[in-house]
Amino acid sequence: MSDVTNASPPPFEAALVRASEELGFPSYYQSCVRPLLRNPEGRWPRCCGGGCEPCAQTLIQVALRTLELMGTPRQAPLPD
């Protein structure tokens, strides 16, 4: 028997995977969304119009859908 306990993934992990799949967001960018989920009511980046990949607007869409799937939608206003 092993002394190592199986740690459960954070509660948002399944919601993030599902939101990513729904929005066609590549899984290798999910780490870019996690900071938004750790601070859902905080200040989020906005699109700079510079053609970044992934765009901040895409990150926001995935984060919003993840929060929605978790039943904890964002309450703070989004950046203009």
Side-chain angles (χ1 to χ4, degrees):
M1 187 161 199
S2 174
D3 290 336
V4 177
T5 36
N6 290 335
S8 309
F12 65 81
E13 197 64 40
L16 175 57
V17 168
R18 181 174 164 194
S20 296
E21 289 172 355
E22 286 179 5
L23 297 169
F25 187 68
S27 61
Y28 50 84
Y29 283 139
Q30 289 175 357
S31 62
C32 298
V33 177
R34 288 184 180 99
L36 302 179
L37 300 174
R38 282 193 293 271
N39 189 12
E41 300 305 323
R43 218 168 155 196
W44 284 3
R46 63 179 116 184
C47 177
C48 66
C52 302
E53 183 64 33
C55 177
Q57 191 58 41
T58 303
L59 299 177
I60 288 171
Q61 289 173 338
V62 174
L64 289 174
R65 180 61 181 141
T66 301
L67 292 169
E68 183 180 287
L69 290 169
M70 292 172 45
T72 56
R74 181 178 165 98
Q75 301 298 315
L78 291 172
D80 294 332

